[in-house]
Amino acid sequence: MTESSTEAEKTSRRSFSVLQHPGFHLSGTVREAATASEPELLCNVSVSFDRCKITSVTCSCGNKDIFYCAHVVALSLYRVRKPEQVKLRLPISETLFQMNRDQLQKFVQYLITVHHTEVLPTAQKLADEILSQNSEINQVHGAPDPTAGASVDDENCWHLDEEQVQEQVKLFLSQGGYHGSGKQLNLLFCKVREMLKMRDSNGARMLTLITEQFMGDPRLALWRQQGTAMTDKYRQLWDELGALWMCIVLNPHCKPEQKGCWLRQLRRWNGVDVCPLEDGNHGNELTNLTNALPHGPAGNPDLLMRPHRTVFTRAIEACDLHWQDPHLQHILSTDHYTNHCYHGDLDSSLLDAGWWPLWHEHVPTACARVDALRSHGYPREALRLAVAIANTLRRQQQKQLELFRTHKNELLNRGVTSITNLEGWVGHPLDPIGTLFGTLMESGRGAEDRGPPDPPGSAGSCRRTENPDPPAQRPPEDGESFVLLAVETALIGLGQQRVMPEGLYAQEKVCRNEEQLLAKLQEVDLDETLVQIFRKQTTFLLEAGPYSGLGEILYRESVPMHTFAKYLFTSLLPHDAELAYRIALRAMRLPVLESPAPPADLSRPHHIVSVVPNRYPRWFTLSHIESQQCELASTMLTAAKGDTCKLQIVLESIQKNIHSSSHNFKLAQDAFKIATLMESLPDLTLLKVSLELGLQVMRMTLSTMNWRRREMVRWLVTCATEVGVFALDSIMQNWFTLFTPTEATSVVATTVMSNSTIMRLHLDCNQQENLANSARTLALQCAMKDPQNCALSALTLCEKDQIAFETAYQIVLDAAATEMNCTQLFTIAHYMEHRGFPSRAYKLATLAMTHLNLSYNQDTHPAINDVLWACALSHSLGKNELAAVIPLVVKSVKCATVLSDILRRCTLTTPGMVTLHSRRTSGKLMSLDKAPLRQLLDATIGAYINTTHSRLTHISPRHYSEFIEFLSKARETFLMAHDGHMQFTQFIDNLKQIYKGKKKLMMLVRERFG
């Protein structure tokens, strides 16, 4: 069941009884019939009203809410819809006046009797006061009457339950943005605007109550203390709060005493330490821009010196504004403008060339007037002022273009510019462009529904009928609509060159506001007239120099135009491709990432506000901005498919302006996808663009850390494969500018030499051989540059070419002494043994042994298996090889268990009689009393002795049993010697003597070894 049907069912269940309507008071009983889930409900309701406004309500239902309960609404609607059912009576005071003394006494006594428990104490108190000659009640003439209504001089306003407003706002704030509290607070703000539009004085009262609760939010002090920022949604609520106060103080018909009261409130809030700043966590040092205008009084000098602007500062400044300017009054009062109103003042700035009025004021402040007029229920006046402001913006744009053309050579020679606005209109706290656009579009859509009249400045209703000296030409605005004016105003605002504000929130707001405006523009269908507006404004933006964010020269910290230019590009592309590419290519700039420009000359007298450059800015939204730049470039690449000239221009722009390797890589991938769509043959030109971008990514990331580097390298090889064999050959020949030696051998050359690549390219034998030669040359170059990581890959790649393979092997031998460690050499040695080169494997193994050092306690070292393998290899080759390797083992290995393992293996078979993988055959075993095994045996026994003393130095009781087992293994080795038994006995006796303090351990030694 829908909400409306549920409410209708409840209404049908309500009945009304005991209706009374004395004077200005309505009371009655609202009965709701019982249901299966709810019992019958009786509610006593009373409503007081005055001059068509409900001034107070009470209901016994107990529902607590900001708005009237359903029973109050039901009773009020019943009275409106069925007036004949409610008998209207005189106010109770008039009825009492008609009674004589006996009737009055009877009336009072009956009233007390019926309600004696409720009114008797009050009745007795009043009787005592009336009978007392000096009581306060006897000093006042007459008596109050709640049904008589207020005096004509009294202020009347709709009933507002202030306590409930405070409680509801406090509750929503305490929920911290959860449970839809932010949405509820926004609904309250909408209610305030609705009240203002109905000119209900409760609007300001309600906003005051809301503001008091916002200022009392305990989180403000906590965030300030912790130095953390408030949440983004909460920050937006504060922005709306400040904007609403701006609307309230700009009420064109508010009384001076009202404005004075609001000003005192605003200053009090503004002075609180925790009052949020206008631009988030960063206070700026802007002067009073709101009042820096020709039609407003001088600003408060205290505010001019205030470094930090809070969310209330603009409303405080706006309290000095007025609406008495004659020109402003003329704009607001009529749609028809005649030249006699400004006779003798035709050259003033009050009119444009077509004699339509202009309004020169700080643009955000002027637009705040428009917002205030709309909010206070003056839509026609708001529209008239909005049109005047829009025409003024167009006039200023034309003058700025003329000024730039006059000084163009001077500015271009310097190559730098100063920012033209300290405050940008897009992202401004007062949202001036959004206000103008909304006002004009709302009227434009309404006019489309209604038909005429035409807007001011058009050729319709506003054509002048009394013009003795008309201008020679009609204004170019003739025939336009409000929609055209709205769109053009939005384009002017979005294209304004403006400095990036400080602070995360302010910068995010710039991006968010721009995207909101563009989303609204995209809802407008482009017809031929709008296309002409786009052409006109795009040309202006390209030629307007420092006043345009798309001009020839750009201030380093200007807000980028990527998102706006993408919208212009897609809108203009079907109609004027050359202009679309011009604007998009111009917008690709991002000077903040380029080297700082020298300071600008601040001496030129063109009323341009200068900002000190060369400070590296804190652009918190830089990642988002670079993403938008990337999106613009991707859009151009997609549109330019098939156009070689355009693709080359776009490629050059990307290479010049995009400084992020990740975004360049994304563009390369985008171009590759577009070029290789399944439904068509690959676009070779676009593939080459993709390859060029990929090559640039390789160069950008060659010497920097990038976690996607391996993915980038693999993708580049794939892209080069799609382009053709010449591309693969090129990247291999120039590998040192693109890849590390490891990448070049393990990824690039290996992939190029794979069967899948050869099959993909359909290469003949000569092409395969040429490609293989390039890969082998690359492999050898990489091996020479980085033998540690590339030698094995080089050997693998050169297997099929004997000369190349020998060269790679020699590179390994040359690097073995100084540049390679034992692990790398053992790995290559294993490879050689696997390829059937045991002698070379032996040579590399002996070189590896020279780099090895195994201490007595490293019995789990990963190189142990390599040592055992090397000894087995040398044993299999013969006695001479074994004799040569054993001194290396003795020198490098100090671990007793490893040495004993090697010793046992060497005594099991005859050297040279078996291979590594064959079974033992008959032959004469080597003697342990002769070299080289005698040297190995002595080293093993010495290792056991040294290890024993080392372990006993720091041994704990829990390791005693493990130590006894270690001695048992040592005895086995000792016994391999001719006099081993005697040596071991002497060794044990020495232990007993040296470590006699370790009684328990020595007792275990005696039990096991005697």
Side-chain angles (χ1 to χ4, degrees):
M1 184 178 292
T2 64
E3 184 177 347
S4 58
S5 62
T6 303
E7 187 59 35
E9 182 183 343
K10 287 184 178 180
T11 303
S12 64
R13 291 176 10 227
R14 293 189 185 115
S15 60
F16 305 88
S17 62
V18 199
L19 297 176
Q20 300 290 336
H21 193 344
F24 296 89
H25 186 82
L26 176 66
S27 63
T29 301
V30 180
R31 181 191 304 270
E32 286 194 9
T35 63
S37 59
E38 297 176 0
E40 182 183 69
L41 180 64
L42 289 176
C43 297
N44 297 319
V45 180
S46 64
V47 179
S48 297
F49 49 91
D50 180 21
R51 284 165 281 182
C52 300
K53 295 177 183 176
I54 294 175
T55 56
S56 68
V57 300
T58 59
C59 181
S60 61
C61 68
N63 291 339
K64 299 292 185 181
D65 199 354
I66 294 175
F67 310 112
Y68 303 152
C69 70
H71 312 104
V72 170
V73 174
L75 181 64
S76 302
L77 290 176
Y78 185 83
R79 168 63 182 83
V80 171
R81 294 169 178 170
K82 298 182 179 180
E84 71 283 353
Q85 300 293 330
V86 184
K87 185 177 181 180
L88 180 60
R89 301 175 184 274
L90 292 173
I92 196 66
S93 56
E94 294 293 330
T95 303
L96 294 175
F97 184 74
Q98 297 175 10
M99 296 181 185
N100 57 31
R101 184 186 181 285
D102 292 338
Q103 290 173 321
L104 284 171
Q105 185 169 0
K106 183 179 291 188
F107 172 78
V108 172
Q109 285 181 278
Y110 267 98
L111 180 62
I112 293 172
T113 301
V114 174
H115 300 288
H116 66 278
T117 57
E118 291 89 355
V119 303
L120 185 57
T122 304
Q124 185 62 57
K125 179 183 176 184
L126 291 174
D128 292 342
E129 290 185 3
I130 290 173
L131 294 174
S132 174
Q133 293 295 328
N134 299 321
S135 64
E136 183 179 349
I137 200 171
N138 284 323
Q139 307 302 318
V140 179
H141 180 70
D145 181 1
T147 67
S151 170
V152 69
D153 297 324
D154 291 343
E155 183 178 351
N156 69 324
C157 59
W158 288 88
H159 170 72
L160 179 67
D161 191 336
E162 297 188 359
E163 182 180 352
Q164 278 305 306
V165 172
Q166 293 172 321
E167 288 299 321
Q168 288 286 331
V169 176
K170 188 175 182 179
L171 175 63
F172 293 148
L173 289 174
S174 68
Q175 293 173 349
Y178 301 103
H179 312 294
S181 58
K183 183 179 179 180
Q184 294 298 326
L185 288 167
N186 274 316
L187 290 175
L188 286 182
F189 289 145
C190 291
K191 187 64 179 178
V192 172
R193 286 193 179 273
E194 182 183 333
M195 290 176 172
L196 296 180
K197 193 170 185 179
M198 299 300 295
R199 301 174 196 176
D200 181 354
S201 60
N202 276 333
R205 286 175 61 202
M206 186 166 174
L207 188 61
T208 300
L209 298 171
I210 294 173
T211 307
E212 288 286 3
Q213 293 304 311
F214 266 74
M215 290 299 297
D217 190 342
R219 291 179 297 171
L220 292 176
L222 182 63
W223 285 329
R224 182 181 179 87
Q225 191 176 36
Q226 295 177 342
T228 55
M230 63 178 69
T231 62
D232 191 58
K233 289 184 178 180
Y234 189 54
R235 177 70 242 191
Q236 291 178 44
L237 292 173
W238 275 101
D239 282 353
E240 179 65 10
L241 198 65
L244 280 171
W245 275 113
M246 191 81 172
C247 286
I248 284 175
V249 301
L250 282 176
N251 182 351
H253 297 296
C254 73
K255 298 177 183 178
E257 54 271 20
Q258 280 182 320
K259 186 177 285 190
C261 179
W262 295 331
L263 179 59
R264 288 190 294 273
Q265 283 184 156
L266 289 167
R267 282 176 172 166
R268 176 169 60 84
W269 294 326
N270 192 69
V272 177
D273 287 342
V274 296
C275 184
L277 301 178
E278 183 178 73
D279 57 354
N281 292 330
H282 293 71
N284 53 43
E285 297 183 2
L286 297 178
T287 56
N288 186 332
L289 293 175
T290 306
N291 292 331
L293 39 94
H295 301 289
N300 188 327
D302 294 335
L303 287 175
L304 287 172
M305 300 304 294
R306 183 176 176 85
H308 299 303
R309 298 172 64 84
T310 74
V311 292
F312 300 117
T313 301
R314 292 183 187 275
I316 293 172
E317 293 170 353
C319 288
D320 293 332
L321 300 176
H322 61 82
W323 296 83
Q324 282 71 48
D325 183 86
H327 180 57
L328 178 60
Q329 288 295 317
H330 181 71
I331 292 173
L332 299 179
S333 61
T334 178
D335 289 332
H336 301 275
Y337 305 95
T338 55
N339 67 323
H340 70 266
C341 298
Y342 299 97
H343 187 68
D345 196 23
L346 297 181
D347 296 328
S348 74
S349 62
L350 302 181
L351 302 172
D352 66 5
W355 290 7
W356 310 123
L358 306 174
W359 179 242
H360 294 278
E361 189 175 34
H362 176 241
V363 173
T365 305
C367 295
R369 291 183 185 270
V370 175
D371 191 27
L373 288 169
R374 289 177 71 194
S375 299
H376 287 284
Y378 303 99
R380 192 67 180 172
E381 289 80 357
L383 176 61
R384 291 165 181 158
L385 182 57
V387 171
I389 296 170
N391 283 330
T392 306
L393 293 180
R394 294 194 294 188
R395 169 79 172 273
Q396 289 175 348
Q397 189 183 50
Q398 182 63 46
K399 285 187 171 294
Q400 288 169 350
L401 179 61
E402 295 169 359
L403 179 63
F404 173 64
R405 285 174 175 170
T406 304
H407 301 279
K408 182 175 182 178
N409 292 334
E410 174 190 354
L411 291 172
L412 289 178
N413 288 335
R414 291 175 183 169
V416 294
T417 182
S418 294
I419 202 69
T420 59
N421 284 280
L422 286 177
E423 293 185 303
W425 298 333
V426 176
H428 192 279
L430 300 178
D431 190 19
I433 300 301
T435 299
L436 286 181
F437 183 82
T439 303
L440 294 168
M441 285 299 295
E442 183 179 293
S443 301
R445 285 167 177 157
E448 289 171 3
D449 295 336
R450 298 188 304 268
D454 291 334
S458 71
S461 65
C462 301
R463 192 181 303 278
R464 297 175 298 283
T465 55
E466 301 178 20
N467 186 3
D469 299 304
Q473 296 181 346
R474 292 188 349 180
E477 293 81 5
D478 279 5
E480 69 185 358
S481 71
F482 288 123
V483 173
L484 296 181
L485 194 58
V487 170
E488 186 166 12
T489 302
L491 296 180
I492 292 173
L494 287 164
Q496 176 205 30
Q497 182 168 177
R498 52 197 182 272
V499 69
M500 178 67 78
E502 294 184 13
L504 171 62
Y505 176 75
Q507 292 176 15
E508 287 181 338
K509 188 172 183 180
V510 168
C511 298
R512 183 169 56 248
N513 198 193
E514 180 183 41
E515 290 167 0
Q516 289 169 346
L517 267 174
L518 290 174
K520 292 175 182 176
L521 280 171
Q522 287 168 345
E523 295 175 1
V524 181
D525 295 328
L526 290 186
D527 56 18
E528 187 56 38
T529 310
L530 274 176
V531 170
Q532 293 305 317
I533 293 292
F534 271 71
R535 282 197 176 102
K536 168 190 167 185
Q537 278 303 319
T538 302
T539 305
F540 265 123
L541 292 172
L542 288 169
E543 298 178 359
Y547 304 95
S548 164
L550 293 160
E552 290 181 63
I553 47 180
L554 193 66
Y555 175 63
R556 184 167 173 259
E557 294 183 31
S558 290
V559 174
M561 298 280 120
H562 307 127
T563 309
F564 178 41
K566 179 185 173 185
Y567 167 72
L568 290 176
F569 177 79
T570 53
S571 300
L572 283 170
L573 189 63
H575 311 283
D576 192 335
E578 288 301 321
L579 187 59
Y581 277 101
R582 279 184 66 199
I583 200 76
L585 291 168
R586 177 72 61 81
M588 281 291 291
R589 302 169 297 182
L590 191 54
V592 73
L593 294 181
E594 298 168 3
S595 57
D601 182 6
L602 307 181
S603 61
R604 64 182 185 281
H606 301 322
H607 306 291
I608 299 175
V609 182
S610 298
V611 179
V612 179
N614 283 334
R615 174 184 61 82
Y616 190 79
R618 296 185 66 192
W619 281 28
F620 299 96
T621 55
L622 187 58
S623 176
H624 174 75
I625 289 169
E626 288 187 285
S627 297
Q628 294 301 310
Q629 182 190 36
C630 180
E631 286 296 321
L632 173 61
S634 180
T635 303
M636 285 194 288
L637 283 175
T638 304
K641 181 180 180 180
D643 189 329
T644 304
C645 181
K646 288 283 192 304
L647 282 173
Q648 184 60 35
I649 295 172
V650 174
L651 172 63
E652 291 172 0
S653 178
I654 292 170
Q655 292 174 325
K656 177 182 177 182
N657 295 299
I658 294 186
H659 304 278
S660 163
S661 59
S662 297
H663 288 122
N664 269 299
F665 185 46
K666 181 183 181 301
L667 288 171
Q669 291 177 305
D670 289 348
F672 184 80
K673 290 175 184 176
I674 299 166
T676 56
L677 292 175
M678 296 300 292
E679 62 267 16
S680 61
L681 292 174
D683 186 313
L684 188 58
T685 306
L686 194 52
L687 272 176
K688 290 180 179 178
V689 169
S690 176
L691 180 63
E692 282 297 322
L693 290 173
L695 294 175
Q696 180 168 341
V697 171
M698 291 297 101
R699 289 188 284 266
M700 292 173 72
T701 58
L702 180 59
S703 57
T704 59
M705 296 292 292
N706 192 302
W707 64 274
R708 299 184 66 189
R709 172 75 183 179
R710 191 168 184 85
E711 176 194 355
M712 293 171 175
V713 173
R714 291 187 180 279
W715 178 88
L716 182 72
V717 177
T718 302
C719 182
T721 303
E722 287 294 326
V723 174
V725 65
F726 67 91
L728 288 175
D729 192 57
S730 175
I731 65 173
M732 286 194 293
Q733 290 184 15
N734 298 284
W735 71 267
F736 48 87
T737 64
L738 305 171
F739 314 107
T740 64
T742 305
E743 292 168 346
T745 54
S746 64
V747 179
V748 180
T750 304
T751 306
V752 170
M753 296 286 286
S754 66
N755 290 330
S756 60
T757 302
I758 294 171
M759 294 177 63
R760 178 76 181 84
L761 292 172
H762 307 291
L763 302 180
D764 58 31
C765 293
N766 288 333
Q767 289 175 322
Q768 290 183 37
E769 186 58 30
N770 291 336
L771 206 59
N773 285 334
S774 295
R776 287 191 285 265
T777 301
L778 176 151
L780 293 175
Q781 291 173 346
C782 292
M784 293 181 68
K785 190 175 178 112
D786 186 7
Q788 302 98 320
N789 298 307
C790 301
L792 182 58
S793 296
L795 287 166
T796 305
L797 289 166
C798 296
E799 285 177 356
K800 297 181 180 180
D801 187 300
Q802 183 63 31
I803 297 175
F805 187 80
E806 291 295 332
T807 304
Y809 175 64
Q810 190 59 46
I811 290 172
V812 175
L813 293 179
D814 293 341
T818 56
E819 298 182 54
M820 302 184 74
N821 59 40
C822 64
T823 303
Q824 294 162 345
L825 289 169
F826 273 130
T827 302
I828 298 174
H830 280 289
Y831 163 80
M832 284 294 186
E833 193 273 335
H834 178 72
R835 297 297 302 169
F837 301 107
S839 297
R840 291 183 176 181
Y842 168 76
K843 175 66 174 176
L844 292 170
T846 57
L847 290 172
M849 291 291 292
T850 61
H851 295 283
L852 182 64
N853 184 20
L854 277 178
S855 64
Y856 76 93
N857 58 351
Q858 291 183 296
D859 52 358
T860 58
H861 194 282
I864 291 174
N865 288 330
D866 291 325
V867 173
L868 296 174
W869 170 82
C871 292
L873 175 65
S874 58
H875 190 279
S876 68
L877 291 175
K879 183 176 180 180
N880 292 336
E881 286 78 5
L882 181 61
V885 85
I886 283 178
L888 297 176
V889 172
V890 170
K891 183 179 179 180
S892 303
V893 180
K894 306 301 179 186
C895 182
T897 54
V898 177
L899 289 172
S900 63
D901 194 5
I902 295 171
L903 181 62
R904 279 192 294 273
R905 294 186 184 208
C906 289
T907 59
L908 294 177
T909 58
T910 303
M913 297 298 292
V914 296
T915 62
L916 285 175
H917 306 292
S918 66
R919 295 182 178 181
R920 181 160 56 96
T921 60
S922 60
K924 187 176 180 181
L925 298 175
M926 294 180 67
S927 173
L928 289 171
D929 293 330
K930 297 179 181 180
L933 293 188
R934 180 65 192 185
Q935 184 183 2
L936 180 59
L937 177 59
D938 291 343
T940 306
I941 292 172
Y944 269 115
I945 293 171
N946 292 333
T947 303
T948 299
H949 287 295
S950 296
R951 294 182 68 169
L952 284 172
T953 304
H954 303 289
I955 196 168
S956 63
R958 70 175 181 272
H959 295 135
Y960 284 175
S961 59
E962 180 185 340
F963 177 73
I964 296 301
E965 292 302 320
F966 174 76
L967 286 180
S968 298
K969 292 181 179 179
R971 182 171 60 179
E972 294 174 5
T973 302
F974 272 84
L975 294 177
M976 295 176 74
H978 178 70
D979 56 348
H981 185 274
M982 184 177 64
Q983 286 188 56
F984 185 73
T985 302
Q986 186 178 358
F987 172 55
I988 294 297
D989 291 341
N990 289 337
L991 290 181
K992 295 174 185 177
Q993 183 64 30
I994 296 172
Y995 302 101
K996 59 185 177 181
K998 300 181 184 294
K999 297 180 180 179
K1000 185 177 180 181
L1001 178 59
M1002 292 302 106
M1003 182 182 69
L1004 294 174
V1005 170
R1006 280 193 295 271
E1007 288 177 358
R1008 176 68 68 91
F1009 305 108

